[in-house]
Amino acid sequence: MKTPLRIFGGLLLFSTSAIAQNNKPVYTSNAYTVYPDRVVQGKYTATAISSTSLTSNYRSPANMFKSPVIEFKFSINGKDNEMTPGVNHHFTCLALASETPVIEFGGPDKVQKVTAATTFLKPSTQIKIRLNMNPVLNAFKERGFYTCANGDKIYKNDFKGVFVAGNTAPMIWDFNNLVNHPDLELKDPDGDGIYETTLILNKPEDENKIASSWTMTRDASAFPQYHSGYKISDAVYNLALEEMQKAVEPDSTFRTGKEWGGVWTRDISYSIILSMAVLQPKVAVYSLMRKVKNDRIIQDTGTGGAYPCSSDRMIWAVAAYEVYKVTGDKNWLEKAYHIVKNSADDDALNVYDSETGLVRGESSFLDWREETYPKWMQPADIYESECLGTNVVHYQVNKVLSQMASLLKDQAAAELYSKRAATIKKGIQDYLWIPEKGYYGQYLYGRNYKTLSQRSEGLGEALAVLFDAAGPNAQSVISHTPVNDFGIPCIYPQIPGILPYHNNAIWPFVESYWAMASAKAGDETSLMRAISAVYRPAAMFLTNKENMVATDGDYAGTQINSSNMLWSLSGNIALVYKVLFGIHYNESSLKFQPFVPKALAGERTLENFKYRNAVLNISMSGFGNVVKSISLDGKALPGATIPASLKGTHTVKIILADIVVTGKSNLLPGSTAPETPMASYQNGNLTWDKILGATSYHILKNGKIILTTSAHSYKVPANVYAEYQVASVDAKGVSSFNSEPVQIIPANVVFVTELETVADKSDLPYQGFSGSGFVEISKIKNTTINIPINITQSGVYAIDFKYANGNGPINTENKCAIRTLGADGHFAGTVVLPQRGKGVWSEWGFSNQVKLKLTKGKHLISLQFKPANENMNGDINQAMVDYLRVIHLN
């Protein structure tokens, strides 16, 4: 049978129109282009064959052009202690089997240069690395300890092993995790002091590959069905739905990612807020309760033994409240309120800073210390830092607590938490806002005198807008925060010499929060850029990856990565629910605040969307963020709000007003700050090393810049207490981190009290202490130590303790020791004694410093273990304390 000409002509016209539509880009950047049915990045294309099928020819270039020059250094006990940070060994692997010369620990680099620029590292290159440890071993025999380049002493009994860190897999630069990689530990097979290990570089089986196609195989009909005129949008949504189902474990809890087993507090919480409260409320509750112990939220990871060095566990509260708003479950509300209240009240003692109004603790989710903090910062320093993301989280937590308390008729508590939220918000504005940049700084850091890191912090900036902490600064934050071609980096500018993970990296879940914040601020340019930055990796990689390199958008160049990542897929889904359709939950209603960029204009539907006892079939047309009309079952819907009492199946129709929305996005090329100097003091001179690429140096005294110079030394008075720091500045005016503070402490402003003179001396065989011994503190030993002091001059004093804690590594476990500091019977602050290395008990460092105003005369200082000082372990809360130090500041 022949097709009538007019029908054939109609089909041809339809086909031509569809092709033309698909060839019109919805987003174009210097790096890639998004079309209605595909994403094109150079020679790579990802295509949505249908709403349930994708293909991609993307291949990671990470293994194709590896340099044969390997950069590495050695590490005792998993710390960066061989040479000055930034100074490394180099070796060129041109043969399939190579062997380094015997390198002396701490000795000079034996550089070999590549002669041909087109030479790349051959697959399966074998290298034997040889290390002469005799200088260290001889020091153990002669003095009992070895002094590292940074001045730290490693005692013989604390020597746990020597490792190699480096830039070429299987080597890593994550010193703290070296102990978890047996192949990176060097051994001495014949006892001659020459340690060695053999590694295989550029293994073909290590090549990061992705599938070439994806077709939906799981039934997702129980979940909301999304359809639009953009197949790429529909397909990545369905990909996320399928991966969400894979992320539910047999015990009905969320799996964090394909490579990340178990439930992690912050991962599930950020995912629940994004979309998992909507799609999987029961799994969300099971997962949240898995992270509760002793009716308190668990801080399951972080620096120095987790809580309180890390304090972002409280995002759990925001997730718990999101579940309540979705479900209306009053029993859950009561249970969650009790847990959050207990946790927040502990935080008020342990992490709140009364001076700034801010909250102490590591950056939320950015918990790999070298990736976002200067190398000199110890866990106690990270505890003392006050960062944007974690403060915005605590601000929102206190708002949530106030709302919970009001719903439960606890008005006094509601007022208390509302005041706490206001205090934190004021602190964010007073201490973290950078007017000349138009966004918030990364964190306050330092010791007795803190300064603000000028870097932006992507998640914190987004949450500040989304949670209303930014207030009238919201539009400025969205339009001024730096973004790169492939998305918003975790931090900007980047830290030199640190491989991508949080540094020089983009995380899709952060991008989704940035999209939501951009929509809230009414910035279409930023919103469309963010949506595209989520679509590109999902389509290209055919999975929701954990992260990618900021400079090239590749998933294979980061230190660790995972497919099927919970918060990435949750953010992908949130783009549909919370951005395009603008579905937002209140305590007793659901409100529509849609935002459809003009580039995505058209018809779209969201069917089978469940809200409590109702099922909504939603259709929407047009573009913009102004609703022209909205109806429920054909009748106008006042306030675009669905009441929680609605039951049954209903139809919602939204027509947008097609009003063009403007906006601005601060697209910048990748940027790396100069290296952080190492400053020291000797004979009246502050000196520092010359930094490559630096044109000048800022000198800071007590947290304030007092001079900018091109010199490498500065004369300082020796008879006045002060803290000095140096920062390097490049030709573009980009500054490094400030160096570790150099404290000038005249003898007349400091005194110490050896704790063995006021408490029972320990008989444990540790070394490196001062005086005649040290004191063990635990949950049963020396739970209260009273220390009399005599102050000769009224003023402000900094109090800290020299201590050791070998109960765990710097980066994992949960055995940070916590104590309450008292002064004359009153609460003075919290003393944190974080882990300093697993089994390392003869390496001593200082706790955080607590500032006190003390009058002339006698005072009684106490170090006590109180209920609020419980750590996340619950059993081991132990440290060795050498002495109390009191410094007169002013």
Side-chain angles (χ1 to χ4, degrees), residues 592-656:
F592 291 96
Q593 296 175 289
F595 194 157
V596 177
K598 185 178 180 181
L600 297 177
E603 306 280 342
R604 49 183 36 83
T605 61
L606 188 62
E607 299 176 334
N608 194 34
F609 189 88
K610 298 178 178 66
Y611 174 53
R612 299 195 183 179
N613 295 313
V615 176
L616 307 177
N617 293 316
I618 310 163
S619 65
M620 183 166 63
S621 63
F623 67 86
N625 62 353
V626 176
V627 175
K628 181 179 180 181
S629 67
I630 181 169
S631 63
L632 178 67
D633 300 327
K635 297 179 181 180
L637 183 63
T641 299
I642 301 287
S645 58
L646 189 69
K647 296 181 181 180
T649 300
H650 300 271
T651 299
V652 176
K653 185 175 182 179
I654 304 169
I655 300 176
L656 298 177

Side-chain angles (χ1 to χ4, degrees), residues 568-586:
S568 300
L569 67 90
S570 299
N572 194 321
I573 294 168
L575 294 183
V576 173
Y577 300 168
K578 295 198 171 184
V579 175
L580 297 177
F581 284 90
I583 299 171
H584 301 283
Y585 293 88
N586 299 309

Side-chain angles (χ1 to χ4, degrees), residues 498-742:
I498 302 296
L499 293 180
Y501 186 65
H502 294 138
N503 187 61
N504 190 21
I506 291 166
W507 290 58
F509 97 92
V510 175
E511 197 70 52
S512 296
Y513 276 105
W514 186 247
M516 291 161 59
S518 299
K520 182 166 185 171
D523 191 318
E524 179 170 310
T525 301
S526 179
L527 173 58
M528 194 61 219
R529 191 184 298 282
I531 290 173
S532 301
V534 174
Y535 286 176
R536 183 201 69 88
M540 279 288 176
F541 308 152
L542 300 178
T543 182
N544 288 278
K545 284 286 189 182
E546 179 179 5
N547 50 46
M548 67 207 75
V549 181
T551 49
D552 62 11
D554 188 28
Y555 64 87
T558 63
Q559 290 279 282
I560 302 170
N561 211 332
S562 176
S563 300
N564 213 130
M565 198 69 181
L566 181 67
W567 50 16
S568 300
L569 67 90
S570 299
N572 194 321
I573 294 168
L575 294 183
V576 173
Y577 300 168
K578 295 198 171 184
V579 175
L580 297 177
F581 284 90
I583 299 171
H584 301 283
Y585 293 88
N586 299 309
E587 290 77 6
S588 58
S589 63
L590 176 155
K591 184 177 178 65
F592 291 96
Q593 296 175 289
F595 194 157
V596 177
K598 185 178 180 181
L600 297 177
E603 306 280 342
R604 49 183 36 83
T605 61
L606 188 62
E607 299 176 334
N608 194 34
F609 189 88
K610 298 178 178 66
Y611 174 53
R612 299 195 183 179
N613 295 313
V615 176
L616 307 177
N617 293 316
I618 310 163
S619 65
M620 183 166 63
S621 63
F623 67 86
N625 62 353
V626 176
V627 175
K628 181 179 180 181
S629 67
I630 181 169
S631 63
L632 178 67
D633 300 327
K635 297 179 181 180
L637 183 63
T641 299
I642 301 287
S645 58
L646 189 69
K647 296 181 181 180
T649 300
H650 300 271
T651 299
V652 176
K653 185 175 182 179
I654 304 169
I655 300 176
L656 298 177
D658 291 353
I659 296 175
V660 176
V661 183
T662 59
K664 178 184 174 185
S665 184
N666 188 18
L667 179 64
L668 294 174
S671 176
T672 300
E675 190 67 66
T676 303
M678 290 186 66
S680 59
Y681 171 79
Q682 189 173 14
N683 300 325
N685 285 308
L686 180 73
T687 61
W688 56 93
D689 52 324
K690 183 178 180 180
I691 298 299
L692 183 66
T695 58
S696 61
Y697 302 88
H698 293 320
I699 300 173
L700 295 86
K701 178 182 178 181
N702 296 342
K704 305 292 183 183
I705 296 175
I706 59 170
L707 179 67
T708 299
T709 178
S710 58
H712 298 95
S713 66
Y714 177 70
K715 195 165 185 64
V716 299
N719 60 345
V720 179
Y721 174 83
E723 281 187 3
Y724 291 92
Q725 293 173 282
V726 180
S728 56
V729 184
D730 68 16
K732 295 180 180 179
V734 177
S735 175
S736 71
F737 284 124
N738 297 332
S739 67
E740 181 171 10
V742 175

Side-chain angles (χ1 to χ4, degrees), residues 163-175:
F163 302 83
V164 61
N167 68 337
T168 304
M171 292 186 289
I172 58 173
W173 280 124
D174 180 12
F175 287 88

